[in-house]
Structures are given as structure tokens and as C-alpha cells.
Amino acid sequence: MSECYENLLVQRLALLAELNDPIAPELYQTYDVKRGLRYNDGRGVLVGLTQIGDVVGYEIKDDKKIAIPGKLLYRGYDVEELIRDTDSHDEFGFEQVIFLLLFGQLPTRTQLEEFQSYLSSRRTLPESFTEDMIMKAPSPDIMNKLARSVLASYSYDDRAEDVSLVNILRQCIDLIARFPVFAAYAYQAKRRHYDGKSMYIHNPLQELSTAENFLRLIRPDKQYTKLETSILDLALILHAEHGGGNNSSFSIHVVSSTDTDTYSAIAAAVGSLKGRRHGGANMKVMEMMDDIKANVKNWDSEKEIKEYLRKIIRKETFDRTGLIYGQGHAVYTISDPRAILLRDKAKKLAKEKNMLEEYNLYRSIEKLAPIVFSEEKNSDKKICTNVDFYSGFVYTMLNIPRELYTPIFAISRVAGWAAHRLEEVVAGGRIYRPAYKNVMPPRNFVPIEERR
């Protein structure tokens, strides 16, 4: 069978699937289906309980949803307080957040130092892993290589199928420690195989933080500034957890409830995060900003910026979806605390990198997008800038390649995933089995000789 014929065959089969898979939209109302596990007002359907993270964007009073300034809580602690404490001690905070998420309490100084030492000792990959599992089969998308590295880790673990809590914790800490190395080495393999560029493989150093190690691993000269590592550390803290209802964390609960192994569960979460409706959203922001910077001639003109945003909403330009990426959130309405914290520190980095003009363009869009949305949609719905709007800009200023933006999200969020896996193992105890209503009516079987 020729390649041309195979392609035509697959196209014809795809048309069959497209023809026979649609479901009439009105049936979702007929059977009161909560599509995407959401109510009509956007609230998520309550399917579980968690003590790990809380995303607060509104209050319910008299059965009405009242918008409030956004809050993000890790194990009951306001993430803003955690960051203020980190800044006051001039320390890296991501490792403390990992401890908090995994074990449910803030560490003492001794506990934190002991945990940091153990975490750092687990960063080195098993012998031959880099060559056999990463370099020999590179991927054009680092997230796919990250998922493969997680699954491949199963083969290097003598206790891969042991689902005792102690062993699951060991596996989770290993993966948290190694995600930055997986991503950095996968990027190097991609550079050589797909971009025809030289690789530079550096070893992680035990005395460095996660943020320091990652910048060291991806840079040819292994150099970085304190401000660079502090803002990357902030980004890692802000992306580490976002409640049990986000798609990838929910995936961890669903897959872990089957009593499967840790590597299968974490790999499923990586696959979920890759999607552009989830962790890949910051890439759409960057593509949109490229388009805006190319077409808005005067970045200081609010009028010109508004008119171009209007064209985006009207589906007249960019990708013609009508979406202003980086604006709006499923829970936050008045403000996304992550975006505010990242934005404020990004200004310091923009000054260091001589990128204040671009930073001010981002600020103008943040200010004007809700206004244009309200005017164009004739709506009083509140929308706010979300963390994806500023994260890509921060990574750009850090000279991090775009193909690593979503992997950085995974490097951070694996801490939250691990915490949710542990929680499901300890407190779950029942496999997830939601219902789907079958709306295909019974059909009379037709023998193959009679089919047309």
C-alpha cells in the first residue's frame, strides 16, 4: 500500500468519524449534563475534597456568586505571605513550598535544610538514562519527551509497582528533583536533532536551588544573576499548585484512584498540562503578543492598542478565534494574585534587561482588554489578567527558549501533582467512575453482504 493511498484512506476514515461522532447540543440540556464538569455560570461541579490548594475568586451569598479579589492558598496559607517571607529572608522559596504541599505543614529550619539536601541528592539521573532515554529518541515537543522520561523512569526503579505510601513518596520526590534535568536535557536533544545546533550538557549541582540549577542547565556559560533566579523561583512558587479541579491535578486524582503506579499517574498529568487550554496557554499569549507588536505601530497609543484588541475580539485578525489570550479565568474574576505578583517583579527584571517599553505595552493591554471586551460584548462580566499573560514575558526576559515555557510549568506543578497523588492514596479509596448517558438509539444489525 503506497504512502499516498494510506494518506487518502486515513482522510476518508477521519471523515467517517467526523460524520458519526457529533452529538446534538440540545441533548446536553435534555439530560442536564454539566459539560466540562461545569455549571452554566462557570462554577466547577464539586467532585471531591482536598486540603492542598484553594483558588478563591468569589463568594456565594444567597445562592449568588459575588466576585472578590483573587486569593491562592497552599495548605491554608496565603501564597502572598509565603512569598513575602521568602523575600524578607532573601532566600529561594520553591523548596519550602514543595515541603508544605507534600507534608501539609511549614518546615522548621532544620527540616527544610534536611529536605533540600535530600531533594538535591536525587537530581542526578540514573546511569545511561540520558543517552538511552533522552538523546536517542528526541522529540520536537519537550512535553512529550518529559512524559516519556517519566514513564521510562519506571524501568530504572526496582520498586516501581510498590504502592505503599513510603515508596510513592520516594518516587514523587525523585520526579520533583529530576523534572528540571529531564526538561533541560530534552531541550538539548531537540537542539541537536531538529535545529542542527550544538548541545551543552551540564550536571546539576547539589548546592543550588531548583531555579539556579535550571538556568545553569540550559545556558551555555552556566551563568545567571540573583534577580534572574529569584524571579524564576517566584514563577515556580506561583505555578506549583492550583486546587484539585484544574485539569492536570484532577487527572492525577482520577488515574491514582485506579491504584496504578506513580509513573503512570504523573505521565498522565504531563499529557494534560501540555494542552493549549491548560499549561500551553502561555504560548498562545506569546504568539498573540508577536502579532500585536508587529501591527501596533505606536505602543504608547492607548487608542491604537484598543482598536487592535477590538479587531482581535471581532475575529478580524491574529488567529480569528475572538480570544484575547491571557485574559479571563475560570475562577478568578477581579484579579489573579499570581499575575499581580509576577507582574510587579517583572518590572524590576524589565529595567535590568532594558525592556521597559515592552513591559509597558503588556500593562496597557492588561488595562484596556477588559474595557474593549465589555464594549464589544455589551457585557458587565468581569475579566482579569491571568498568570499566563506575564509568565511568557518573564521567560523571554530570562532568555529561555519558548519550547521550555510549558515544561517550566510542569517543573513547578509536579510538586502539586505529587501532593494530590499522596492525598488520593491516603484519603481517596474509591475509583472515579462518573456517568455518561448513551444517546445512540438501538439499531438493527445488517450483514456485511447487505451493507451499502
Side-chain angles (χ1 to χ4, degrees):
M1 188 179 292
S2 69
E3 182 178 351
C4 180
Y5 182 83
E6 288 177 349
N7 291 337
L8 290 173
L9 175 61
V10 173
Q11 289 177 26
R12 291 202 305 271
L13 294 174
L15 288 174
L16 281 178
E18 187 177 6
L19 175 67
N20 292 311
D21 278 349
I23 295 174
E26 60 269 17
L27 291 178
Y28 290 93
Q29 294 182 348
T30 299
Y31 296 105
D32 193 28
V33 176
K34 307 299 185 290
R35 300 187 73 178
L37 291 179
R38 294 189 190 184
Y39 294 106
N40 290 333
D41 64 0
R43 287 181 298 127
V45 174
L46 187 61
V47 297
L49 302 175
T50 184
Q51 298 184 93
I52 298 169
D54 195 11
V55 183
V56 183
Y58 55 82
E59 296 175 340
I60 303 296
K61 292 183 178 180
D62 299 325
D63 294 326
K64 292 184 178 179
K65 190 167 71 170
I66 309 299
I68 61 173
K71 290 289 183 183
L72 176 59
L73 307 178
Y74 290 172
R75 294 286 190 173
Y77 295 101
D78 192 324
V79 73
E80 293 184 43
E81 294 182 11
L82 295 172
I83 290 167
R84 276 199 298 270
D85 180 67
T86 296
D87 289 342
S88 69
H89 291 89
D90 194 27
E91 296 176 333
F92 296 103
F94 181 52
E95 286 72 21
Q96 177 175 235
V97 164
I98 297 171
F99 188 101
L100 173 63
L101 293 175
L102 289 180
F103 309 118
Q105 63 185 52
L106 291 169
T108 64
R109 174 62 65 183
T110 299
Q111 287 175 323
L112 180 58
E113 290 175 354
E114 185 180 53
F115 178 70
Q116 287 173 323
S117 177
Y118 177 62
L119 185 72
S120 296
S121 73
R122 306 306 298 168
R123 295 195 194 281
T124 303
L125 303 188
E127 186 178 356
S128 79
F129 189 102
T130 301
E131 180 63 28
D132 293 343
M133 297 296 132
I134 299 179
M135 297 302 167
K136 286 185 178 179
S139 170
D141 192 299
I142 308 304
M143 289 297 285
N144 288 78
K145 175 54 64 176
L146 194 55
R148 185 176 188 270
S149 296
V150 172
L151 290 173
S153 297
Y154 178 101
S155 301
Y156 290 76
D157 186 348
D158 293 337
R159 291 178 287 162
E161 287 289 348
D162 180 353
V163 291
S164 66
L165 187 64
V166 171
N167 194 55
I168 290 174
L169 178 59
R170 175 190 63 82
Q171 293 169 330
C172 286
I173 292 174
D174 279 1
L175 289 174
I176 292 169
R178 291 168 182 173
F179 258 48
V181 187
F182 289 158
Y185 289 177
Y187 169 65
Q188 298 302 334
K190 186 258 182 187
R191 277 175 55 89
R192 178 180 67 177
H193 186 81
Y194 291 96
D195 303 336
K197 298 179 180 179
S198 299
M199 293 194 305
Y200 32 90
I201 301 295
H202 309 314
N203 293 323
L205 299 182
Q206 289 196 23
E207 65 270 22
L208 300 182
S209 68
T210 303
E212 291 171 309
N213 258 313
F214 185 70
L215 290 182
R216 180 181 185 277
L217 287 170
I218 66 170
R219 292 182 170 177
D221 60 4
K222 300 180 280 189
Q223 301 301 306
Y224 47 81
T225 68
K226 181 64 167 64
L227 180 57
E228 287 179 324
T229 52
S230 68
I231 197 168
L232 180 57
D233 182 70
L234 172 63
L236 294 175
I237 292 172
L238 295 176
H239 286 88
E241 164 60 7
H242 215 232
N246 70 81
N247 198 284
S248 56
S249 294
F250 183 55
S251 298
I252 277 285
H253 279 279
V254 171
V255 178
S256 292
S257 75
T258 69
D259 202 28
T260 191
D261 68 278
T262 297
Y263 303 107
S264 295
I266 299 293
V270 174
S272 166
L273 190 72
K274 178 190 173 184
R276 291 200 167 195
R277 292 180 181 178
H278 193 6
N282 55 21
M283 290 295 292
K284 291 299 293 184
V285 172
M286 297 308 295
E287 292 168 8
M288 179 189 74
M289 290 304 299
D290 287 343
D291 182 76
I292 291 174
K293 287 185 286 186
N295 289 282
V296 174
K297 304 305 179 187
N298 184 359
W299 295 0
D300 295 325
S301 171
E302 289 192 357
K303 180 180 178 181
E304 190 174 348
I305 294 171
K306 281 184 69 175
E307 287 309 306
Y308 201 75
L309 293 177
R310 206 178 302 279
K311 288 181 179 180
I312 291 176
I313 290 180
R314 291 176 179 175
K315 303 180 182 180
E316 296 173 356
T317 189
F318 186 43
D319 63 0
R320 304 186 188 278
T321 62
L323 299 175
I324 300 178
Y325 295 98
Q327 304 299 315
H329 190 269
V331 180
Y332 299 127
T333 48
I334 292 177
S335 60
D336 180 342
R338 303 168 302 169
I340 294 172
L341 289 162
L342 200 58
R343 178 195 72 198
D344 291 348
K345 203 154 190 177
K347 187 174 183 179
K348 297 179 181 179
L349 190 61
K351 289 180 180 178
E352 182 180 276
K353 302 292 184 178
N354 295 316
M355 295 181 68
L356 272 176
E357 184 180 12
E358 191 164 341
Y359 172 82
N360 290 332
L361 174 62
Y362 275 81
R363 293 288 281 124
S364 294
I365 293 171
E366 178 183 11
K367 170 187 172 183
L368 299 172
I371 298 172
V372 176
F373 178 87
S374 177
E375 293 173 352
E376 287 296 310
K377 301 294 185 180
N378 193 24
S379 169
D380 59 358
K381 178 182 178 181
K382 297 182 185 300
I383 64 168
C384 65
T385 293
N386 61 52
V387 70
D388 294 316
F389 188 67
Y390 282 103
S391 61
F393 177 52
V394 165
Y395 302 150
T396 298
M397 291 192 290
L398 292 174
N399 199 29
I400 295 174
R402 287 191 182 183
E403 51 262 62
L404 283 169
Y405 290 4
T406 308
I408 290 173
F409 198 156
I411 290 168
S412 170
R413 185 58 61 87
V414 68
W417 294 337
H420 282 285
R421 172 158 172 76
L422 292 169
E423 184 178 63
E424 182 63 39
V425 170
V426 171
R430 193 170 190 180
I431 189 172
Y432 278 81
R433 181 59 172 86
Y436 263 69
K437 173 67 178 178
N438 191 304
V439 294
M440 172 64 75
R443 304 157 82 182
N444 293 323
F445 180 77
V446 179
I448 192 167
E449 294 83 2
E450 301 175 18
R451 297 172 201 166
R452 297 290 183 268

